[in-house]
Amino acid sequence: MAIAWSEKASYVEVLSRPPSLSPPIILTQDELKKIAAYKAVEFVESGTVLGLGTGSTAKHAVDRIGELLLLGKLKNIVGIPTSKKTQEQAVSLGIPLSDLDHHSTIDLAIDGADEVDPHLNLVKGRGGSLLREKMVEGTCKKFICIVDESKLVKYLGGSGLAMPVEVVPFCWKFTANKLQNLFKDSGCVAKLRNDSKGTPFVTDNGNYIVDLYLKKDIGDLQVASDAILRIGGVVEHGMFLNMATTVIVAGELGITIKNK
């Protein structure tokens, strides 16, 4: 699937491994995430306001930013966290923090994604932080998305995994049924997300998440986005359309970078 995706994309930079006669090193998915994250942090400059993403890939970027601040290689950084978890991580690393009330424009955001299509549209929110991520990343001048190659899809929803929608708890079943019916032609199944205890997962904003599982392409993404947001009870969805300015993909053959 990654090959089909890359054939359609026009990459501006490919950093591959040099040829070697020794057996190839098989990297784990987490190692690939770390490689992509560290590459993204190379774009961070001192004196900037940074959107700090949430999730297993973004965690590596936040760790690296904290390390560079400690070493004095970065200075005067202000971070805007996209979740309580990231806020706690940043505080533990000594990264100065603020919020959108005090910084309505952000220089750069770095975050991961659950899916990336050939046009750099994203699915995010399987970690549950989609609303705050969209608020922060929607106001930044540049948004670098960092992924490993397993996240590349031909169309959003193409992985068969969840497309999250944050909803208010009030009559969530009503909202879930509306969402499922909206995409019934795509074989949509809507399920409430539960935590490890089997109770509804609650976001940092006190809301629930309904995960949409799709069997087919939902078509025009902007039309789909507008239709979802018109449903009463929906707070936000996990499609990040035309928001990423750069995507960094780490794979077995190296790092690939594509810009909008």
Side-chain angles (χ1 to χ4, degrees):
M1 183 172 290
I3 295 175
W5 190 91
S6 62
E7 285 175 349
K8 293 184 179 180
S10 175
Y11 298 126
V12 298
E13 183 179 356
V14 177
L15 307 175
S16 352
R17 292 183 185 168
S20 172
L21 297 178
S22 59
I25 300 173
I26 305 301
L27 298 176
T28 66
Q29 187 179 34
D30 191 62
E31 288 170 333
L32 293 174
K33 291 177 180 181
K34 188 173 183 178
I35 290 169
Y38 275 44
K39 182 64 181 177
V41 175
E42 292 179 13
F43 291 86
V44 177
E45 299 178 354
S46 294
T48 55
V49 179
L50 292 175
L52 304 177
T54 297
S56 57
T57 308
K59 181 181 182 299
H60 290 303
V62 177
D63 282 340
R64 181 60 172 165
I65 291 166
E67 179 184 359
L68 294 176
L69 279 171
L70 184 63
L71 293 172
K73 295 182 179 180
L74 283 178
K75 299 179 180 179
N76 301 320
I77 294 295
V78 175
I80 312 294
T82 55
S83 67
K84 292 179 180 179
K85 187 173 183 179
T86 298
Q87 180 178 356
E88 292 169 359
Q89 179 192 5
V91 168
S92 72
L93 295 169
I95 300 174
L97 298 179
S98 188
D99 55 37
L100 293 176
D101 288 338
H102 296 89
H103 296 276
S104 58
T105 301
I106 296 172
D107 297 304
L108 169 66
I110 299 175
D111 204 355
D114 302 304
E115 292 183 359
V116 182
D117 79 4
H119 307 289
L120 307 193
N121 295 311
L122 317 174
V123 167
K124 292 176 49 57
R126 289 180 190 154
S129 302
L130 60 113
L131 176 59
R132 298 191 187 192
E133 288 173 337
K134 190 168 284 190
M135 290 177 68
V136 170
E137 289 149 16
T139 193
C140 59
K141 297 175 183 177
K142 187 171 184 179
F143 171 25
I144 300 179
C145 177
I146 47 178
V147 296
D148 67 89
E149 61 187 355
S150 71
K151 302 300 191 295
L152 306 182
V153 295
K154 293 180 179 179
Y155 61 88
L156 295 193
S159 69
L161 301 176
M163 182 182 290
V165 180
E166 187 161 344
V167 304
V168 296
F170 175 73
C171 294
W172 67 265
K173 291 181 181 178
F174 170 84
T175 308
N177 287 334
K178 287 278 190 179
L179 288 166
Q180 183 166 296
N181 289 334
L182 183 63
F183 299 113
K184 61 182 179 180
D185 291 341
S186 298
C188 178
V189 175
K191 297 181 180 180
L192 181 70
R193 183 181 300 183
N194 290 324
D195 59 22
S196 59
K197 298 178 182 178
T199 57
F201 174 88
V202 179
T203 70
D204 285 347
N205 315 297
N207 296 315
Y208 290 172
I209 288 183
V210 172
D211 288 320
L212 306 183
Y213 296 89
L214 304 162
K215 294 182 179 179
K216 298 178 183 178
D217 190 343
I218 59 175
D220 188 309
L221 297 178
Q222 192 58 60
V223 171
S225 169
D226 293 344
I228 292 172
L229 294 175
R230 282 197 298 268
I231 295 175
V234 167
V235 178
E236 188 53 87
H237 60 70
M239 291 188 292
F240 285 52
L241 309 180
N242 300 311
M243 291 179 62
T245 54
T246 300
V247 173
I248 298 177
V249 184
E252 290 292 332
L253 300 179
I255 293 177
T256 304
I257 302 175
K258 185 185 178 185
N259 294 319
K260 269 288 190 185

